[in-house]
Amino acid sequence: LPIVGTFHTLLPEYTHYVYGRWGGWLRGLAWRYVSCFYRRCTVVTTPSNPMREVLVGSHRLANVHVISNALNVDTFSPQDRPPNQDPVILYVGRLGREKKVEVLIDAAPRILEELPRAVFRVVGRGVQGKLYEGMVRKKGLNGSFRFEHYLSPPDLVDAYRGCDVFVIPSDTETQGLVALEAMACGKPVIG
């Protein structure tokens, strides 16, 4: 029977959750397994061209087709609002190691040199949440960072519309829906 496989997660990049320090060594083994699994599929779908290039170029899979994730542009749309008094830099996503929120935290002091009243909103939950909050405290950035664990859908859309720039520091996204949502709200995205 024909089999359609969907590739939406860079599973080999998450081996550190299961294997800790052995994660790097096992990443290669995981890629071999993933490649073997998807070679058995008649067709493989993935949400973005860069992911297709990884699967076809680096892992020699065939019949890989891009089917982008849908986005409701009636919900995620720009809205005229008065400018922010202080610049707002927004991150939305899970607080896991692969999301690399520490990149944003490490960049904050340089950003604050140029924009001393900037506010960093971090929306999301995850196993690294306490670690990231501790990094912010250790760097003396408490007054500039706001950690918000959950926003209702209307409040999330309002957060996108209310930011000046959206950031996504992760380098393991197959298609960062949060980046698309921010762009649909008319916001610049730094990835």
Side-chain angles (χ1 to χ4, degrees):
L1 294 175
I3 300 171
V4 176
T6 60
F7 189 90
H8 284 249
T9 302
L10 282 165
L11 272 154
E13 301 303 318
Y14 300 105
T15 55
H16 60 268
Y17 279 118
V18 180
Y19 299 106
R21 65 185 175 95
W22 292 96
W25 180 78
L26 291 170
R27 186 177 298 121
L29 186 61
W31 266 118
R32 282 201 299 274
Y33 171 78
V34 165
S35 297
C36 180
F37 177 87
Y38 284 104
R39 276 193 196 97
R40 298 182 73 187
C41 296
T42 311
V43 172
V44 177
T45 67
T46 193
S48 66
N49 281 316
M51 280 314 311
R52 182 185 183 283
E53 291 170 16
V54 166
L55 296 174
V56 171
S58 300
H59 300 286
R60 297 186 300 274
L61 296 179
N63 289 328
V64 178
H65 300 275
V66 174
I67 300 177
S68 183
N69 291 304
L71 184 71
N72 184 342
V73 293
D74 292 329
T75 300
F76 296 97
S77 60
Q79 183 181 59
D80 287 332
R81 10 176 352 127
N84 292 318
Q85 192 171 5
D86 300 322
V88 176
I89 300 161
L90 177 66
Y91 166 83
V92 174
R94 192 168 35 80
L95 301 179
R97 187 184 334 177
E98 66 285 347
K99 298 300 184 177
K100 299 194 175 178
V101 176
E102 70 274 7
V103 171
L104 175 61
I105 295 168
D106 289 342
R110 290 191 307 207
I111 294 166
L112 291 167
E113 285 176 13
E114 296 282 327
L115 304 165
R117 294 171 46 110
V119 174
F120 297 84
R121 289 183 72 183
V122 177
V123 177
R125 296 181 191 170
V127 296
Q128 299 288 101
K130 295 293 181 200
L131 175 76
Y132 291 142
E133 289 176 22
M135 288 176 72
V136 165
R137 276 192 305 278
K138 191 179 223 179
K139 291 179 177 280
L141 300 170
N142 291 16
S144 299
F145 272 80
R146 290 188 356 215
F147 286 88
E148 304 170 52
H149 299 292
Y150 174 80
L151 293 178
S152 67
D155 289 340
L156 179 61
V157 172
D158 191 55
Y160 285 124
R161 290 174 176 163
C163 75
D164 293 292
V165 65
F166 181 82
V167 294
I168 183 167
S170 171
D171 58 6
T172 64
E173 301 296 326
T174 55
Q175 182 182 46
L177 281 176
V178 291
L180 296 179
E181 291 167 352
M183 287 189 284
C185 289
K187 299 304 171 174
V189 173
I190 299 173

